[in-house]
Amino acid sequence: MSALKKALESLLIERDPQKSLQNDPLSFVHRYEKQYDQEIAAVFAAQLAYGRVASFFPIIEKILDEADHFGGPRAWVNAFSNAHSQRIEHIYYRLNKSPDFALLAVGLQGVCSEYSSLFSCFQQGYSTDHDNINTALDAFVANISRHAQKRASSIGWKQSTLPRSFRHMLSRPASGSACKRWNLFLRWMIRVEFPDLGIWDIPSQKLIIPLDTHVHQISLMLGLCSQKSANNKTARAITESLRKLDEKDPIRYDFAIAHLGISGSCQKKYVSSICTSCPLQTVCTVEKRI
Ligand code: SF4
């Protein structure tokens, strides 16, 4: 076993996934038992997963409280109308205002109506011949966008173009974006091992790492990539480096690496009191300042 794999295995053993889950947007998805509720809850939770956990958790809570008021995320999306849109007018988070959430709801409504579930829609764009999930993700997001555009008037959106903040939600691999939030959503849906849900039957080996700032900086220190830009190419480079450690499940360390950063256990600089007890210290190239 390589030193890197050994170190990452130690990280997995050291970090309690149940504890990390309490500070992860995936915890919201675990509230639901039915796949069709989990899929919808996961889209909203993943799309709001930027910035500080303490800031976006209450927003996910508000959105899902509203969904639960109407019988759960899928029932809420299925019935979503202008009246539902007005009820969430007070909800916003940083770049995203309430029309973005309403447009996402009607986009998902259209997809569910055309394909019966988000998984069925994703499957339509997927082929076992694809190297990774990028092509299928591109088609999936394009479908949500198409339906949101078609149904925008149903939630009172009168302009011909959809808001920029909403279009930002619909980032696509073809544009070069790392699509962190969509890749996070796909990890939740596809990987079987806890805390991921494994409810979509797509091989984990096709996943691409959800590239957030923590994962990127720690990956640089571990030599998993050399690219300084957090784009799709970098996400693929990290995934390919990790594939050498686990061919079938390259992003199995993602949750543990991300939470090493989220929890503040890694400051992405040498801190003697932290680094000397870090499971990655033997392979981390962080510059030691004595
Ligand atoms: S050794 Fe220090 S800088 Fe490197 S990953 Fe661990 S905590 Fe982070």
Side-chain angles (χ1 to χ4, degrees), residues 86-150:
Q86 284 167 14
R87 284 178 57 98
I88 60 166
E89 269 176 2
H90 61 290
I91 303 178
Y92 63 92
Y93 176 60
R94 290 178 58 172
L95 294 174
N96 295 117
K97 308 288 182 284
S98 64
D100 299 338
F101 306 129
L103 285 164
L104 185 58
V106 292
L108 298 175
Q109 179 186 71
V111 166
C112 290
S113 149
E114 184 178 350
Y115 295 94
S116 82
S117 72
L118 300 191
F119 178 49
S120 301
C121 174
F122 189 84
Q123 257 185 326
Q124 292 292 317
Y126 173 75
S127 160
T128 50
D129 295 339
H130 294 160
D131 288 343
N132 55 48
I133 42 75
N134 266 350
T135 307
L137 176 58
D138 220 74
F140 179 67
V141 175
N143 267 312
I144 297 172
S145 176
R146 175 171 60 86
H147 281 289
Q149 184 82 58
K150 240 162 90 176

Short mmCIF file of all heavy atoms in Angstrom, two decimals, residues 86-150:
data_model
loop_
_atom_site.label_atom_id
_atom_site.label_comp_id
_atom_site.label_asym_id
_atom_site.label_seq_id
_atom_site.Cartn_x
_atom_site.Cartn_y
_atom_site.Cartn_z
N GLN A 86 -44.76 32.63 -3.73
CA GLN A 86 -44.97 33.78 -2.84
C GLN A 86 -44.66 33.44 -1.38
O GLN A 86 -44.22 34.28 -0.61
CB GLN A 86 -46.41 34.29 -2.98
CG GLN A 86 -46.61 35.08 -4.27
CD GLN A 86 -48.06 35.33 -4.62
OE1 GLN A 86 -48.95 35.15 -3.79
NE2 GLN A 86 -48.30 35.74 -5.84
N ARG A 87 -44.91 32.19 -1.02
CA ARG A 87 -44.67 31.78 0.37
C ARG A 87 -43.17 31.75 0.72
O ARG A 87 -42.82 31.76 1.89
CB ARG A 87 -45.25 30.37 0.60
CG ARG A 87 -46.76 30.35 0.74
CD ARG A 87 -47.22 28.91 0.93
NE ARG A 87 -46.59 28.27 2.07
CZ ARG A 87 -47.13 28.14 3.28
NH1 ARG A 87 -48.35 28.60 3.51
NH2 ARG A 87 -46.47 27.54 4.25
N ILE A 88 -42.29 31.69 -0.31
CA ILE A 88 -40.85 31.66 0.00
C ILE A 88 -40.17 32.98 -0.37
O ILE A 88 -38.93 33.04 -0.45
CB ILE A 88 -40.14 30.46 -0.69
CG1 ILE A 88 -40.28 30.52 -2.22
CG2 ILE A 88 -40.65 29.12 -0.16
CD1 ILE A 88 -39.33 29.56 -2.95
N GLU A 89 -40.96 34.02 -0.57
CA GLU A 89 -40.38 35.30 -1.00
C GLU A 89 -39.36 35.87 -0.01
O GLU A 89 -38.50 36.66 -0.39
CB GLU A 89 -41.49 36.33 -1.23
CG GLU A 89 -41.98 36.32 -2.66
CD GLU A 89 -43.14 37.28 -2.90
OE1 GLU A 89 -43.56 37.98 -1.95
OE2 GLU A 89 -43.62 37.30 -4.04
N HIS A 90 -39.51 35.48 1.25
CA HIS A 90 -38.62 36.02 2.29
C HIS A 90 -37.29 35.25 2.37
O HIS A 90 -36.39 35.64 3.12
CB HIS A 90 -39.31 35.94 3.66
CG HIS A 90 -39.66 34.53 4.05
ND1 HIS A 90 -40.64 33.79 3.41
CD2 HIS A 90 -39.13 33.71 4.99
CE1 HIS A 90 -40.69 32.58 3.96
NE2 HIS A 90 -39.79 32.51 4.92
N ILE A 91 -37.18 34.16 1.60
CA ILE A 91 -35.97 33.32 1.73
C ILE A 91 -34.92 33.74 0.69
O ILE A 91 -35.21 33.81 -0.51
CB ILE A 91 -36.31 31.81 1.55
CG1 ILE A 91 -37.37 31.39 2.59
CG2 ILE A 91 -35.06 30.96 1.70
CD1 ILE A 91 -37.80 29.93 2.48
N TYR A 92 -33.74 34.03 1.17
CA TYR A 92 -32.63 34.33 0.26
C TYR A 92 -31.34 33.91 0.94
O TYR A 92 -31.28 33.74 2.16
CB TYR A 92 -32.57 35.84 -0.09
CG TYR A 92 -32.33 36.72 1.11
CD1 TYR A 92 -31.03 37.10 1.47
CD2 TYR A 92 -33.38 37.16 1.90
CE1 TYR A 92 -30.80 37.89 2.58
CE2 TYR A 92 -33.16 37.94 3.02
CZ TYR A 92 -31.87 38.31 3.36
OH TYR A 92 -31.65 39.07 4.48
N TYR A 93 -30.31 33.70 0.14
CA TYR A 93 -29.00 33.37 0.70
C TYR A 93 -27.92 33.89 -0.24
O TYR A 93 -27.80 33.42 -1.38
CB TYR A 93 -28.84 31.86 0.89
CG TYR A 93 -27.47 31.45 1.37
CD1 TYR A 93 -26.98 31.94 2.59
CD2 TYR A 93 -26.66 30.62 0.62
CE1 TYR A 93 -25.72 31.60 3.03
CE2 TYR A 93 -25.39 30.26 1.06
CZ TYR A 93 -24.92 30.76 2.26
OH TYR A 93 -23.65 30.43 2.70
N ARG A 94 -27.19 34.87 0.24
CA ARG A 94 -26.09 35.46 -0.52
C ARG A 94 -26.51 35.78 -1.96
O ARG A 94 -27.39 36.58 -2.17
CB ARG A 94 -24.86 34.56 -0.45
CG ARG A 94 -24.29 34.59 0.98
CD ARG A 94 -23.10 33.71 1.21
NE ARG A 94 -21.99 33.99 0.33
CZ ARG A 94 -20.78 33.43 0.47
NH1 ARG A 94 -20.56 32.57 1.45
NH2 ARG A 94 -19.81 33.73 -0.35
N LEU A 95 -25.93 35.06 -2.94
CA LEU A 95 -26.25 35.36 -4.34
C LEU A 95 -27.69 35.01 -4.69
O LEU A 95 -28.27 35.56 -5.63
CB LEU A 95 -25.37 34.51 -5.27
CG LEU A 95 -23.87 34.74 -5.31
CD1 LEU A 95 -23.23 33.67 -6.20
CD2 LEU A 95 -23.58 36.12 -5.86
N ASN A 96 -28.24 34.04 -4.00
CA ASN A 96 -29.52 33.46 -4.42
C ASN A 96 -30.73 34.07 -3.72
O ASN A 96 -30.82 34.07 -2.51
CB ASN A 96 -29.52 31.94 -4.21
CG ASN A 96 -28.51 31.24 -5.10
OD1 ASN A 96 -27.56 30.64 -4.62
ND2 ASN A 96 -28.68 31.35 -6.40
N LYS A 97 -31.65 34.59 -4.56
CA LYS A 97 -32.90 35.17 -4.05
C LYS A 97 -34.02 34.16 -4.28
O LYS A 97 -33.84 33.16 -4.98
CB LYS A 97 -33.21 36.49 -4.78
CG LYS A 97 -32.05 37.49 -4.78
CD LYS A 97 -31.83 38.11 -3.42
CE LYS A 97 -30.71 39.15 -3.39
NZ LYS A 97 -29.36 38.63 -3.41
N SER A 98 -35.20 34.49 -3.74
CA SER A 98 -36.30 33.51 -3.78
C SER A 98 -36.68 33.06 -5.21
O SER A 98 -37.03 31.89 -5.39
CB SER A 98 -37.52 34.04 -3.04
OG SER A 98 -38.01 35.19 -3.67
N PRO A 99 -36.62 33.94 -6.25
CA PRO A 99 -36.96 33.43 -7.59
C PRO A 99 -36.06 32.28 -8.04
O PRO A 99 -36.50 31.39 -8.79
CB PRO A 99 -36.78 34.66 -8.50
CG PRO A 99 -36.95 35.82 -7.60
CD PRO A 99 -36.39 35.39 -6.27
N ASP A 100 -34.82 32.27 -7.56
CA ASP A 100 -33.92 31.17 -7.94
C ASP A 100 -34.45 29.84 -7.40
O ASP A 100 -34.43 28.82 -8.09
CB ASP A 100 -32.50 31.39 -7.38
CG ASP A 100 -31.87 32.66 -7.89
OD1 ASP A 100 -32.30 33.14 -8.95
OD2 ASP A 100 -30.95 33.17 -7.23
N PHE A 101 -34.93 29.87 -6.16
CA PHE A 101 -35.43 28.63 -5.55
C PHE A 101 -36.74 28.19 -6.24
O PHE A 101 -36.99 27.01 -6.44
CB PHE A 101 -35.65 28.80 -4.04
CG PHE A 101 -34.42 29.30 -3.32
CD1 PHE A 101 -34.47 30.39 -2.47
CD2 PHE A 101 -33.20 28.67 -3.52
CE1 PHE A 101 -33.34 30.86 -1.83
CE2 PHE A 101 -32.05 29.13 -2.87
CZ PHE A 101 -32.11 30.22 -2.03
N ALA A 102 -37.55 29.19 -6.57
CA ALA A 102 -38.82 28.88 -7.24
C ALA A 102 -38.56 28.32 -8.64
O ALA A 102 -39.20 27.35 -9.07
CB ALA A 102 -39.69 30.14 -7.31
N LEU A 103 -37.60 28.91 -9.34
CA LEU A 103 -37.27 28.41 -10.69
C LEU A 103 -36.68 27.00 -10.62
O LEU A 103 -36.96 26.16 -11.47
CB LEU A 103 -36.29 29.37 -11.38
CG LEU A 103 -36.92 30.67 -11.87
CD1 LEU A 103 -35.85 31.73 -12.17
CD2 LEU A 103 -37.78 30.43 -13.12
N LEU A 104 -35.87 26.77 -9.59
CA LEU A 104 -35.31 25.43 -9.43
C LEU A 104 -36.45 24.43 -9.18
O LEU A 104 -36.47 23.33 -9.75
CB LEU A 104 -34.31 25.42 -8.27
CG LEU A 104 -33.53 24.13 -8.03
CD1 LEU A 104 -32.73 23.71 -9.27
CD2 LEU A 104 -32.56 24.28 -6.84
N ALA A 105 -37.41 24.84 -8.35
CA ALA A 105 -38.54 23.96 -8.05
C ALA A 105 -39.32 23.61 -9.32
O ALA A 105 -39.64 22.44 -9.56
CB ALA A 105 -39.45 24.60 -7.01
N VAL A 106 -39.60 24.62 -10.16
CA VAL A 106 -40.39 24.31 -11.37
C VAL A 106 -39.54 23.58 -12.43
O VAL A 106 -40.06 22.81 -13.23
CB VAL A 106 -41.12 25.53 -11.97
CG1 VAL A 106 -42.22 26.01 -11.04
CG2 VAL A 106 -40.17 26.66 -12.33
N GLY A 107 -38.23 23.84 -12.41
CA GLY A 107 -37.34 23.08 -13.30
C GLY A 107 -37.38 21.60 -12.94
O GLY A 107 -37.50 20.73 -13.80
N LEU A 108 -37.30 21.31 -11.64
CA LEU A 108 -37.35 19.91 -11.18
C LEU A 108 -38.74 19.32 -11.41
O LEU A 108 -38.88 18.14 -11.74
CB LEU A 108 -36.98 19.84 -9.69
CG LEU A 108 -35.55 20.31 -9.33
CD1 LEU A 108 -35.35 20.31 -7.81
CD2 LEU A 108 -34.50 19.44 -9.99
N GLN A 109 -39.74 20.16 -11.25
CA GLN A 109 -41.13 19.72 -11.51
C GLN A 109 -41.26 19.22 -12.95
O GLN A 109 -41.83 18.15 -13.21
CB GLN A 109 -42.07 20.91 -11.28
CG GLN A 109 -43.53 20.66 -11.52
CD GLN A 109 -44.31 21.97 -11.40
OE1 GLN A 109 -44.21 22.84 -12.26
NE2 GLN A 109 -45.07 22.10 -10.33
N GLY A 110 -40.72 20.01 -13.88
CA GLY A 110 -40.80 19.63 -15.29
C GLY A 110 -40.04 18.34 -15.57
O GLY A 110 -40.53 17.46 -16.30
N VAL A 111 -38.86 18.21 -14.97
CA VAL A 111 -38.05 16.99 -15.17
C VAL A 111 -38.80 15.78 -14.63
O VAL A 111 -38.88 14.73 -15.29
CB VAL A 111 -36.66 17.15 -14.49
CG1 VAL A 111 -35.95 15.81 -14.39
CG2 VAL A 111 -35.80 18.14 -15.26
N CYS A 112 -39.36 15.92 -13.42
CA CYS A 112 -40.08 14.78 -12.81
C CYS A 112 -41.32 14.42 -13.63
O CYS A 112 -41.69 13.26 -13.74
CB CYS A 112 -40.49 15.11 -11.36
SG CYS A 112 -39.08 15.19 -10.26
N SER A 113 -41.95 15.45 -14.21
CA SER A 113 -43.14 15.19 -15.00
C SER A 113 -42.76 14.48 -16.32
O SER A 113 -43.45 13.55 -16.75
CB SER A 113 -43.86 16.52 -15.24
OG SER A 113 -44.51 16.52 -16.42
N GLU A 114 -41.66 14.86 -16.92
CA GLU A 114 -41.25 14.25 -18.20
C GLU A 114 -40.62 12.86 -18.01
O GLU A 114 -40.86 11.95 -18.80
CB GLU A 114 -40.27 15.16 -18.94
CG GLU A 114 -39.89 14.62 -20.32
CD GLU A 114 -38.94 15.54 -21.09
OE1 GLU A 114 -38.71 16.69 -20.67
OE2 GLU A 114 -38.44 15.09 -22.14
N TYR A 115 -39.81 12.72 -16.94
CA TYR A 115 -39.03 11.47 -16.81
C TYR A 115 -39.45 10.59 -15.62
O TYR A 115 -38.85 9.57 -15.37
CB TYR A 115 -37.55 11.80 -16.64
CG TYR A 115 -36.93 12.47 -17.84
CD1 TYR A 115 -36.86 13.86 -17.92
CD2 TYR A 115 -36.42 11.71 -18.89
CE1 TYR A 115 -36.29 14.49 -19.02
CE2 TYR A 115 -35.84 12.33 -19.99
CZ TYR A 115 -35.78 13.72 -20.05
OH TYR A 115 -35.21 14.32 -21.14
N SER A 116 -40.37 11.04 -14.83
CA SER A 116 -40.87 10.35 -13.63
C SER A 116 -39.97 10.51 -12.41
O SER A 116 -40.45 10.49 -11.28
CB SER A 116 -41.19 8.87 -13.87
OG SER A 116 -40.02 8.08 -13.78
N SER A 117 -38.68 10.65 -12.59
CA SER A 117 -37.80 10.90 -11.43
C SER A 117 -36.52 11.58 -11.94
O SER A 117 -36.21 11.54 -13.14
CB SER A 117 -37.44 9.60 -10.72
OG SER A 117 -36.53 8.85 -11.50
N LEU A 118 -35.78 12.16 -11.01
CA LEU A 118 -34.52 12.78 -11.40
C LEU A 118 -33.54 11.72 -11.90
O LEU A 118 -32.79 11.94 -12.84
CB LEU A 118 -33.90 13.55 -10.22
CG LEU A 118 -34.73 14.69 -9.61
CD1 LEU A 118 -33.88 15.50 -8.64
CD2 LEU A 118 -35.30 15.62 -10.68
N PHE A 119 -33.60 10.55 -11.27
CA PHE A 119 -32.70 9.47 -11.70
C PHE A 119 -32.99 9.05 -13.14
O PHE A 119 -32.07 8.87 -13.94
CB PHE A 119 -32.80 8.27 -10.75
CG PHE A 119 -31.94 7.11 -11.17
CD1 PHE A 119 -30.60 7.29 -11.49
CD2 PHE A 119 -32.46 5.82 -11.25
CE1 PHE A 119 -29.79 6.23 -11.88
CE2 PHE A 119 -31.66 4.75 -11.64
CZ PHE A 119 -30.32 4.96 -11.96
N SER A 120 -34.27 8.90 -13.47
CA SER A 120 -34.61 8.51 -14.85
C SER A 120 -34.07 9.52 -15.85
O SER A 120 -33.58 9.15 -16.92
CB SER A 120 -36.12 8.41 -15.03
OG SER A 120 -36.63 7.48 -14.15
N CYS A 121 -34.17 10.78 -15.49
CA CYS A 121 -33.67 11.83 -16.38
C CYS A 121 -32.15 11.70 -16.52
O CYS A 121 -31.63 11.73 -17.64
CB CYS A 121 -34.04 13.20 -15.80
SG CYS A 121 -33.33 14.57 -16.72
N PHE A 122 -31.47 11.53 -15.40
CA PHE A 122 -30.00 11.41 -15.45
C PHE A 122 -29.59 10.21 -16.30
O PHE A 122 -28.66 10.29 -17.11
CB PHE A 122 -29.44 11.30 -14.03
CG PHE A 122 -27.94 11.39 -13.96
CD1 PHE A 122 -27.30 12.63 -13.94
CD2 PHE A 122 -27.16 10.25 -13.95
CE1 PHE A 122 -25.91 12.71 -13.89
CE2 PHE A 122 -25.77 10.33 -13.91
CZ PHE A 122 -25.15 11.56 -13.88
N GLN A 123 -30.31 9.11 -16.09
CA GLN A 123 -30.00 7.86 -16.82
C GLN A 123 -30.07 8.03 -18.33
O GLN A 123 -29.33 7.40 -19.07
CB GLN A 123 -31.01 6.80 -16.42
CG GLN A 123 -30.49 5.77 -15.45
CD GLN A 123 -31.53 4.69 -15.22
OE1 GLN A 123 -32.73 4.97 -15.23
NE2 GLN A 123 -31.08 3.49 -15.03
N GLN A 124 -31.02 8.89 -18.77
CA GLN A 124 -31.18 9.11 -20.22
C GLN A 124 -29.90 9.64 -20.85
O GLN A 124 -29.60 9.36 -22.00
CB GLN A 124 -32.30 10.14 -20.48
CG GLN A 124 -33.70 9.66 -20.13
CD GLN A 124 -34.16 8.54 -21.04
OE1 GLN A 124 -33.95 8.61 -22.24
NE2 GLN A 124 -34.78 7.53 -20.46
N GLY A 125 -29.16 10.42 -20.08
CA GLY A 125 -27.93 11.02 -20.64
C GLY A 125 -26.69 10.21 -20.35
O GLY A 125 -25.59 10.59 -20.75
N TYR A 126 -26.86 9.09 -19.63
CA TYR A 126 -25.70 8.32 -19.19
C TYR A 126 -25.46 7.10 -20.08
O TYR A 126 -26.41 6.44 -20.50
CB TYR A 126 -25.89 7.87 -17.73
CG TYR A 126 -24.81 6.93 -17.25
CD1 TYR A 126 -23.54 7.40 -16.95
CD2 TYR A 126 -25.05 5.56 -17.14
CE1 TYR A 126 -22.53 6.54 -16.54
CE2 TYR A 126 -24.06 4.68 -16.73
CZ TYR A 126 -22.80 5.18 -16.43
OH TYR A 126 -21.81 4.33 -16.03
N SER A 127 -24.19 6.81 -20.32
CA SER A 127 -23.83 5.58 -21.01
C SER A 127 -22.62 4.97 -20.30
O SER A 127 -21.74 5.71 -19.83
CB SER A 127 -23.48 5.88 -22.47
OG SER A 127 -22.72 4.81 -22.98
N THR A 128 -22.57 3.64 -20.25
CA THR A 128 -21.42 2.97 -19.62
C THR A 128 -20.13 3.28 -20.39
O THR A 128 -19.04 3.12 -19.86
CB THR A 128 -21.62 1.44 -19.57
OG1 THR A 128 -21.99 1.00 -20.88
CG2 THR A 128 -22.70 1.05 -18.57
N ASP A 129 -20.27 3.72 -21.65
CA ASP A 129 -19.09 4.06 -22.45
C ASP A 129 -18.42 5.37 -22.00
O ASP A 129 -17.28 5.64 -22.35
CB ASP A 129 -19.47 4.24 -23.94
CG ASP A 129 -19.95 2.92 -24.53
OD1 ASP A 129 -19.62 1.87 -23.95
OD2 ASP A 129 -20.65 2.96 -25.56
N HIS A 130 -19.19 6.20 -21.27
CA HIS A 130 -18.61 7.48 -20.85
C HIS A 130 -17.49 7.27 -19.84
O HIS A 130 -17.59 6.41 -18.95
CB HIS A 130 -19.69 8.36 -20.20
CG HIS A 130 -20.77 8.78 -21.15
ND1 HIS A 130 -22.01 9.22 -20.72
CD2 HIS A 130 -20.80 8.83 -22.50
CE1 HIS A 130 -22.77 9.52 -21.77
NE2 HIS A 130 -22.05 9.29 -22.86
N ASP A 131 -16.43 8.08 -19.96
CA ASP A 131 -15.31 7.98 -19.02
C ASP A 131 -15.74 8.40 -17.62
O ASP A 131 -15.24 7.89 -16.62
CB ASP A 131 -14.16 8.93 -19.44
CG ASP A 131 -13.47 8.40 -20.69
OD1 ASP A 131 -13.65 7.21 -21.00
OD2 ASP A 131 -12.78 9.19 -21.36
N ASN A 132 -16.63 9.38 -17.57
CA ASN A 132 -17.08 9.89 -16.27
C ASN A 132 -18.50 10.44 -16.43
O ASN A 132 -19.10 10.32 -17.50
CB ASN A 132 -16.12 10.97 -15.76
CG ASN A 132 -15.94 12.09 -16.78
OD1 ASN A 132 -16.91 12.60 -17.32
ND2 ASN A 132 -14.69 12.44 -17.07
N ILE A 133 -19.01 11.04 -15.34
CA ILE A 133 -20.42 11.48 -15.38
C ILE A 133 -20.61 12.87 -16.02
O ILE A 133 -21.75 13.36 -16.08
CB ILE A 133 -21.08 11.48 -13.97
CG1 ILE A 133 -20.15 12.03 -12.89
CG2 ILE A 133 -21.56 10.09 -13.58
CD1 ILE A 133 -19.97 13.45 -12.89
N ASN A 134 -19.54 13.48 -16.52
CA ASN A 134 -19.67 14.83 -17.07
C ASN A 134 -20.74 14.96 -18.15
O ASN A 134 -21.54 15.90 -18.14
CB ASN A 134 -18.33 15.29 -17.67
CG ASN A 134 -17.51 16.08 -16.65
OD1 ASN A 134 -18.02 16.45 -15.59
ND2 ASN A 134 -16.25 16.35 -16.98
N THR A 135 -20.75 14.03 -19.10
CA THR A 135 -21.71 14.13 -20.22
C THR A 135 -23.13 14.02 -19.71
O THR A 135 -24.02 14.80 -20.10
CB THR A 135 -21.43 13.02 -21.26
OG1 THR A 135 -20.07 13.09 -21.64
CG2 THR A 135 -22.31 13.17 -22.49
N ALA A 136 -23.36 13.05 -18.83
CA ALA A 136 -24.71 12.86 -18.29
C ALA A 136 -25.13 14.05 -17.43
O ALA A 136 -26.28 14.50 -17.47
CB ALA A 136 -24.77 11.57 -17.47
N LEU A 137 -24.18 14.59 -16.68
CA LEU A 137 -24.49 15.76 -15.83
C LEU A 137 -24.86 16.95 -16.70
O LEU A 137 -25.80 17.69 -16.40
CB LEU A 137 -23.28 16.09 -14.93
CG LEU A 137 -23.42 17.34 -14.06
CD1 LEU A 137 -24.64 17.26 -13.13
CD2 LEU A 137 -22.16 17.58 -13.23
N ASP A 138 -24.13 17.11 -17.79
CA ASP A 138 -24.41 18.21 -18.70
C ASP A 138 -25.85 18.15 -19.23
O ASP A 138 -26.58 19.14 -19.22
CB ASP A 138 -23.43 18.15 -19.88
CG ASP A 138 -22.94 19.51 -20.26
OD1 ASP A 138 -22.13 20.07 -19.52
OD2 ASP A 138 -23.44 20.02 -21.28
N ALA A 139 -26.24 16.96 -19.66
CA ALA A 139 -27.60 16.77 -20.19
C ALA A 139 -28.64 16.96 -19.09
O ALA A 139 -29.71 17.56 -19.30
CB ALA A 139 -27.72 15.38 -20.80
N PHE A 140 -28.35 16.47 -17.89
CA PHE A 140 -29.27 16.56 -16.75
C PHE A 140 -29.54 18.04 -16.40
O PHE A 140 -30.69 18.46 -16.28
CB PHE A 140 -28.62 15.84 -15.56
CG PHE A 140 -29.40 15.84 -14.29
CD1 PHE A 140 -30.60 15.15 -14.19
CD2 PHE A 140 -28.92 16.51 -13.16
CE1 PHE A 140 -31.31 15.12 -12.98
CE2 PHE A 140 -29.62 16.48 -11.96
CZ PHE A 140 -30.82 15.78 -11.87
N VAL A 141 -28.46 18.81 -16.29
CA VAL A 141 -28.62 20.23 -15.93
C VAL A 141 -29.32 20.98 -17.07
O VAL A 141 -30.17 21.86 -16.82
CB VAL A 141 -27.24 20.86 -15.59
CG1 VAL A 141 -27.39 22.35 -15.33
CG2 VAL A 141 -26.63 20.18 -14.36
N ALA A 142 -29.02 20.61 -18.31
CA ALA A 142 -29.69 21.25 -19.45
C ALA A 142 -31.19 21.00 -19.39
O ALA A 142 -32.01 21.88 -19.71
CB ALA A 142 -29.11 20.72 -20.75
N ASN A 143 -31.59 19.81 -18.97
CA ASN A 143 -33.01 19.48 -18.85
C ASN A 143 -33.69 20.33 -17.77
O ASN A 143 -34.81 20.81 -17.95
CB ASN A 143 -33.18 18.00 -18.52
CG ASN A 143 -33.38 17.18 -19.78
OD1 ASN A 143 -34.17 17.53 -20.64
ND2 ASN A 143 -32.64 16.09 -19.91
N ILE A 144 -33.02 20.48 -16.64
CA ILE A 144 -33.60 21.32 -15.57
C ILE A 144 -33.76 22.75 -16.08
O ILE A 144 -34.80 23.39 -15.89
CB ILE A 144 -32.71 21.28 -14.30
CG1 ILE A 144 -32.63 19.86 -13.74
CG2 ILE A 144 -33.25 22.23 -13.23
CD1 ILE A 144 -31.63 19.68 -12.60
N SER A 145 -32.73 23.23 -16.75
CA SER A 145 -32.76 24.60 -17.28
C SER A 145 -33.90 24.79 -18.28
O SER A 145 -34.65 25.77 -18.24
CB SER A 145 -31.40 24.87 -17.93
OG SER A 145 -31.41 26.12 -18.54
N ARG A 146 -34.05 23.82 -19.17
CA ARG A 146 -35.10 23.88 -20.20
C ARG A 146 -36.49 23.94 -19.56
O ARG A 146 -37.34 24.76 -19.93
CB ARG A 146 -34.98 22.64 -21.11
CG ARG A 146 -36.06 22.47 -22.16
CD ARG A 146 -35.69 21.33 -23.12
NE ARG A 146 -35.53 20.04 -22.47
CZ ARG A 146 -36.53 19.19 -22.22
NH1 ARG A 146 -37.76 19.50 -22.56
NH2 ARG A 146 -36.30 18.03 -21.64
N HIS A 147 -36.70 23.10 -18.57
CA HIS A 147 -38.00 23.10 -17.91
C HIS A 147 -38.23 24.36 -17.07
O HIS A 147 -39.36 24.86 -17.00
CB HIS A 147 -38.16 21.84 -17.05
CG HIS A 147 -38.50 20.63 -17.86
ND1 HIS A 147 -39.75 20.47 -18.45
CD2 HIS A 147 -37.78 19.54 -18.21
CE1 HIS A 147 -39.77 19.32 -19.11
NE2 HIS A 147 -38.59 18.74 -18.98
N ALA A 148 -37.17 24.87 -16.46
CA ALA A 148 -37.32 26.10 -15.67
C ALA A 148 -37.72 27.24 -16.60
O ALA A 148 -38.60 28.05 -16.28
CB ALA A 148 -36.01 26.41 -14.96
N GLN A 149 -37.09 27.31 -17.77
CA GLN A 149 -37.40 28.35 -18.75
C GLN A 149 -38.87 28.24 -19.19
O GLN A 149 -39.59 29.23 -19.25
CB GLN A 149 -36.46 28.21 -19.95
CG GLN A 149 -36.59 29.27 -21.01
CD GLN A 149 -35.82 30.55 -20.65
OE1 GLN A 149 -34.62 30.50 -20.43
NE2 GLN A 149 -36.52 31.67 -20.55
N LYS A 150 -39.28 27.00 -19.48
CA LYS A 150 -40.65 26.75 -19.96
C LYS A 150 -41.71 27.11 -18.93
O LYS A 150 -42.80 27.57 -19.27
CB LYS A 150 -40.77 25.25 -20.28
CG LYS A 150 -41.13 24.96 -21.73
CD LYS A 150 -40.83 23.55 -22.09
CE LYS A 150 -41.98 22.62 -21.85
NZ LYS A 150 -41.65 21.23 -22.32
#
